[in-house]
Amino acid sequence: MKIRVPDALTANISEKYNVSIRLNDNSFTFTGYVPGERDSFFRETVPLDKNKSLADSLKDIYFDNECLKYVFKSLNIICVTERYTVIPEDVYSERDKEKLFSLCFTPKENGKIITEDIDNNSFISIFEFDTEAYEFLMRSFINATFRHALSPTLKLWQKNSLATYPKQVYMNVYQGVIDVVCFEHGELLFANSFPYERENDILYFVTYVCKQLNINQLEDELYFCGEISVCRSVMNVLDAYFERINLFTKKMEKYQSPVDEEVPLDIIILTECE
């Protein structure tokens, strides 16, 4: 499957580009930009072959596209998976990462446990990725950094939380999944993702988490982002129960994108804020 990239991206100047490969269950998204060049941002998505293993599907894409063999300034591999946990840095131990992960999930036989120190922000992301695919990507790309899709948003939301004292609950709704994250003045209180089929599922998860965290319905803040139509519908219901509920939006500002409403939040944050 061919990936379309700008004519300006060639092997001669590829080292100017910061790029990301975003992987979910169904697709491979390749994005990149030259820092400081507003018109340089690009984004292209191709499907993964569901009849093949993840590793074999990635090999097909890699060998079909010469641009993936270029050397880049930086390269993030962003993993979109619900199989993750976030723990305080002071209880983390590298030798115990598999054990810590197993407290939340039963590890898969072909799973590689990956950890990410979220910019020294006092917590560690632990997530699982296909071992064969991981090994292929590490062989194929120079200095690739594996990141969980929630990590960039955690960094931004923590920064926002430091500026206020009420608790802040963030909900990111996308592709049948809702991420729910809560901060209190910079301290991470909760982070988890839930699959949903109907809007009532979202209402259940949000109200359940808010109850467990003793969210003050008058003073604490709720923010929704992601699929706007779903968010607005859910917010209309919750508006009767929570005083401070808002739509959280983050657009491409520094870089030109004709489809910025379709760019995932983690990609926008990586491009605009890092």
Side-chain angles (χ1 to χ4, degrees):
M1 181 69 69
K2 289 293 184 181
I3 297 174
R4 295 175 299 176
V5 297
D7 293 338
L9 175 54
T10 66
N12 293 331
I13 67 165
S14 62
E15 291 185 62
K16 294 182 178 181
Y17 279 79
N18 291 331
V19 301
S20 294
I21 293 171
R22 189 177 194 269
L23 299 170
N24 62 26
D25 289 339
N26 301 307
S27 63
F28 175 111
T29 298
F30 187 47
T31 65
Y33 66 98
V34 176
E37 294 188 12
R38 178 169 172 77
D39 296 332
S40 63
F41 179 82
F42 68 88
R43 172 175 175 263
E44 179 73 4
T45 298
V46 295
L48 295 173
D49 189 338
K50 302 302 291 182
N51 295 317
K52 296 183 178 182
S53 68
L54 175 60
D56 286 342
S57 186
L58 291 174
K59 289 175 184 177
D60 288 345
I61 295 172
Y62 180 81
F63 291 116
D64 281 349
N65 293 277
E66 189 64 27
C67 62
L68 296 179
K69 302 179 181 67
Y70 298 164
V71 177
F72 301 101
K73 182 177 181 179
S74 69
L75 191 150
N76 290 309
I77 297 177
I78 302 171
C79 306
V80 183
T81 173
E82 300 160 46
R83 295 176 62 82
Y84 75 92
T85 186
V86 182
I87 65 170
E89 189 176 39
D90 56 6
V91 302
Y92 172 74
S93 169
E94 178 69 18
R95 69 174 183 271
D96 293 331
K97 63 182 180 182
E98 285 84 5
K99 181 179 180 181
L100 290 167
F101 182 82
S102 69
L103 295 174
C104 303
F105 303 95
T106 300
K108 295 181 179 179
E109 290 185 6
N110 63 337
K112 167 78 175 178
I113 304 303
I114 302 172
T115 62
E116 179 185 357
D117 184 349
I118 305 177
D119 291 317
N120 298 312
N121 279 346
S122 74
F123 41 87
I124 304 290
S125 172
I126 306 176
F127 58 98
E128 189 179 59
F129 190 71
D130 181 89
T131 298
E132 186 181 358
Y134 173 86
E135 292 175 349
F136 170 73
L137 292 169
M138 288 299 290
R139 290 194 306 268
S140 303
F141 296 105
I142 299 174
N143 297 327
T145 300
F146 278 77
R147 310 184 69 167
H148 190 272
L150 189 61
S151 298
T153 56
L154 284 175
K155 180 182 175 182
L156 177 64
W157 291 340
Q158 184 194 44
K159 180 180 178 181
N160 292 349
S161 173
L162 285 169
T164 183
Y165 278 95
K167 294 175 184 175
Q168 293 183 328
V169 185
Y170 291 92
M171 278 70 59
N172 186 24
V173 181
Y174 61 96
Q175 297 177 332
V177 176
I178 176 172
D179 301 326
V180 184
V181 174
C182 181
F183 281 101
E184 183 175 20
H185 196 55
E187 179 184 357
L188 180 65
L189 302 181
F190 182 88
N192 208 344
S193 299
F194 307 94
Y196 75 90
E197 296 181 358
R198 300 172 298 275
E199 291 179 7
N200 282 345
D201 297 334
I202 299 176
L203 291 168
Y204 169 78
F205 291 129
V206 172
T207 54
Y208 177 80
V209 170
C210 287
K211 180 179 179 180
Q212 296 300 308
L213 296 175
N214 294 317
I215 296 300
N216 187 309
Q217 294 171 252
L218 297 178
E219 297 181 2
D220 293 333
E221 301 169 347
L222 275 63
Y223 293 93
F224 278 85
C225 61
E227 297 177 8
I228 301 299
S229 60
V230 177
C231 290
R232 290 193 184 280
S233 179
V234 172
M235 289 171 63
N236 286 338
V237 177
L238 293 175
D239 193 53
Y241 305 97
F242 295 92
E243 183 71 22
R244 306 178 71 178
I245 182 168
N246 300 282
L247 196 62
F248 177 89
T249 58
K250 183 70 178 174
K251 296 289 188 179
M252 297 288 286
E253 297 173 354
K254 296 179 182 177
Y255 297 90
Q256 184 87 22
S257 175
V259 289
D260 58 357
E261 71 279 5
E262 298 177 3
V263 179
L265 181 60
D266 49 278
I267 293 294
I268 294 176
I269 295 172
L270 283 173
T271 304
E272 293 281 313
C273 303
E274 297 198 351

